[in-house]
Amino acid sequence: MLTGCTLLAQDFNLDNRDYQTISWKTFLARLDKNPKLIYFDIRTKGEQCDTSSYKSYNQGKIKGAIETDFYDFKGSYPKYLKHKKDTIYLYCSHSRRSRLLAQKLADSAFTHVVSINGGLSYLNVLSEQTIPLKKKFYQTQIKYALVSPEEFITKMNQKSAQLIDVRPDSTYYEKGKSIWENSFGRVPKSIHIPYDKMTENLNLLDSEKEIIFFDNDGSLAPIAAEKVAANSRRIGVLFFGLDHLRNSVSYKKRPFLNSKFKMLTAADFMTMKDQIPTIIDTRTPTAFQNTDSVATKNIGKLKAAINIPFSELSARTIAPYKSKTLMIYDAFMDDELFLYAQRLQSLGITDFYILAGGFWYFRWTAANTELKKELETLINP
């Protein structure tokens, strides 16, 4: 997922109420017509320069943006204030910070604030065919290409590309510390070279091919890519790793991932919902009812979902649904959700799916992508 747990404290219900939101396609079209638009890159300096220690947050930038830091509101405020009467556009990496800042400025009587949906993380998975103006306004200092999930699948079948799995041995052999970490399986025709052993194994890389590095979440592949970049090879990194691929690409297009459980994307569920009569929300009753004392757990739910928490899952509670196709979900696809799936199997239930990325990612997809209208009808805020 798009590094989800850091993004939970975000209220999409404020969109187009306290501030406006628009797509990248709309923003770039406006910028192309009016180069004098006022737009801010509100990420950290490291992100803006593609030197962040969080490698997956090095995502390039939009030419001409005024650079401020979301985390230094006091120091950045004079730049915002200068344009209080103008329409101000904001972008960050995932659109969490841009939404939070938009709300903060709205509370300070800024009346023309616009957050760009999805942030650079979403722009980077959109092809230039989808947004032709991307090539005109996007720039980066990254020494490798950011490969979208769809591009990765295409390159899997090309003889001109070599796929390198850089996950540590423990993860590759499914002996990591968490069930989530061990849940991705392996990619066919790829070579396993752990990221920290890349330098001594350069001889395994084919100099005649484009090298595509990947891992689980996009945190390690950039490290490997930087070690190899000095050799002037054609290099790419699967953007946000296998996790983002699994969360965003239809299960029909990723049969090569030998996951122990069937996982549906938000778009998959939208098209298959009539075939899945029972949806089970596995969170606590208070989180399910939006009444938890921890406010950030109150993120809504899927319509028609029933609540059977892990602590209450038994042969008795699941019996009414044993002959039906199920889909289970939690907030983030935490380890407990996989334990839930294992318990279902132990109770003799095998006809079920997991909502990839959890409900948080479902909400993010609904708020930021072209599926907005369709997915929002499935959510109980």
Side-chain angles (χ1 to χ4, degrees):
M1 70 202 283
L2 296 173
T3 57
C5 62
T6 62
L7 306 178
L8 180 57
Q10 179 172 332
D11 189 351
F12 299 115
N13 295 325
L14 300 176
D15 286 5
N16 301 307
R17 191 184 78 186
D18 291 9
Y19 52 83
Q20 299 299 304
T21 64
I22 61 170
S23 68
W24 277 107
K25 188 173 184 178
T26 300
F27 169 71
L28 293 178
R30 290 181 185 179
L31 180 58
D32 192 44
K33 290 182 179 180
N34 180 12
K36 294 184 179 181
L37 285 189
I38 307 301
Y39 52 106
F40 289 85
D41 181 332
I42 67 168
R43 299 172 299 157
T44 65
K45 194 65 178 177
E47 291 172 275
Q48 293 161 355
C49 297
D50 290 327
T51 57
S52 173
S53 58
Y54 299 98
K55 300 296 183 181
S56 60
Y57 280 70
N58 295 327
Q59 302 171 10
K61 62 183 178 182
I62 304 302
K63 299 174 186 176
I66 302 170
E67 296 181 351
T68 57
D69 188 339
F70 169 82
Y71 298 106
D72 181 19
F73 181 73
K74 183 177 180 181
S76 300
Y77 187 74
K79 292 184 179 181
Y80 305 135
L81 187 59
K82 182 180 177 182
H83 299 285
K84 188 171 185 179
K85 295 183 179 180
D86 299 316
T87 298
I88 295 175
Y89 297 85
L90 309 173
Y91 78 83
C92 58
S93 61
H94 294 79
S95 77
R96 170 185 178 263
R97 283 172 285 181
S98 63
R99 280 179 163 90
L100 293 174
L101 179 57
Q103 179 61 40
K104 201 165 187 176
L105 291 176
D107 290 343
S108 299
F110 285 68
T111 56
H112 304 290
V113 184
V114 184
S115 173
I116 303 176
N117 281 333
L120 279 173
S121 61
Y122 188 52
L123 179 64
N124 272 307
V125 300
L126 297 173
S127 68
E128 290 179 3
Q129 288 73 32
T130 303
I131 304 184
L133 288 171
K134 175 181 176 181
K135 185 175 182 179
K136 180 176 180 179
F137 293 106
Y138 176 83
Q139 65 182 33
T140 181
Q141 300 298 316
I142 307 171
K143 297 180 180 180
Y144 48 83
L146 297 176
V147 179
S148 73
E150 294 283 358
E151 291 171 332
F152 182 81
I153 292 174
T154 298
K155 291 177 185 294
M156 283 179 59
N157 301 313
Q158 295 177 344
K159 294 182 179 180
S160 59
Q162 183 183 36
L163 307 184
I164 307 296
D165 186 332
V166 305
R167 292 177 292 177
D169 287 338
S170 59
T171 306
Y172 182 77
Y173 293 108
E174 299 183 359
K175 296 181 180 179
K177 296 179 180 179
S178 71
I179 304 175
W180 175 90
E181 185 180 354
N182 302 328
S183 68
F184 293 94
R186 300 178 188 174
V187 176
K189 301 179 183 179
S190 63
I191 298 174
H192 177 226
I193 307 176
Y195 77 102
D196 56 351
K197 298 178 182 178
M198 189 60 58
T199 303
E200 56 264 43
N201 287 287
L202 291 178
N203 61 303
L204 298 178
L205 304 183
D206 191 332
S207 60
E208 301 298 319
K209 296 182 178 181
E210 179 182 10
I211 311 299
I212 310 296
F213 297 101
F214 68 92
D215 57 14
N216 277 354
D217 61 5
S219 62
L220 303 177
I223 298 175
E226 288 178 350
K227 291 180 179 180
V228 178
N231 294 303
S232 300
R233 302 173 189 264
R234 290 178 297 146
I235 300 168
V237 166
L238 175 59
F239 197 39
F240 286 112
L242 294 175
D243 185 46
H244 185 39
L245 186 152
R246 187 170 68 182
N247 294 347
S248 61
V249 174
S250 173
Y251 75 103
K252 295 179 180 179
K253 293 184 179 180
R254 48 176 163 81
F256 55 87
L257 282 183
N258 299 336
S259 182
K260 293 182 174 66
F261 307 106
K262 296 178 290 185
M263 299 189 188
L264 300 180
T265 65
D268 286 332
F269 173 66
M270 183 180 68
T271 59
M272 295 175 59
K273 61 182 185 299
D274 293 337
Q275 304 168 41
I276 304 174
T278 304
I279 306 166
I280 299 178
D281 186 318
T282 69
R283 296 174 297 166
T284 63
T286 53
F288 177 73
Q289 295 163 5
N290 257 20
T291 58
D292 200 277
S293 59
V294 179
T296 53
K297 291 185 178 182
N298 301 323
I299 59 174
K301 60 188 176 185
L302 285 173
K303 290 180 179 178
I306 60 173
N307 184 216
I308 305 179
F310 181 67
S311 60
E312 298 178 14
L313 179 60
S314 65
R316 179 185 62 80
T317 56
I318 204 66
Y321 316 104
K322 196 166 186 178
S323 62
K324 299 179 180 179
T325 301
L326 313 178
M327 186 182 77
I328 62 174
Y329 74 89
D330 64 356
F332 293 125
M333 275 182 65
D334 290 327
D335 274 4
E336 188 174 275
L337 185 68
F338 290 99
L339 293 174
Y340 196 107
Q342 290 175 359
R343 184 176 292 182
L344 284 177
Q345 290 180 331
S346 72
L347 294 171
I349 297 175
T350 57
D351 186 14
F352 67 88
Y353 297 94
I354 290 176
L355 179 62
F359 185 60
W360 179 88
Y361 191 74
F362 191 98
R363 289 186 75 222
W364 187 93
T365 304
N368 291 288
T369 74
E370 66 280 357
L371 297 175
K372 182 178 177 67
K373 291 183 179 179
E374 293 89 342
L375 294 181
E376 283 182 339
T377 64
L378 306 177
I379 295 173
N380 234 350

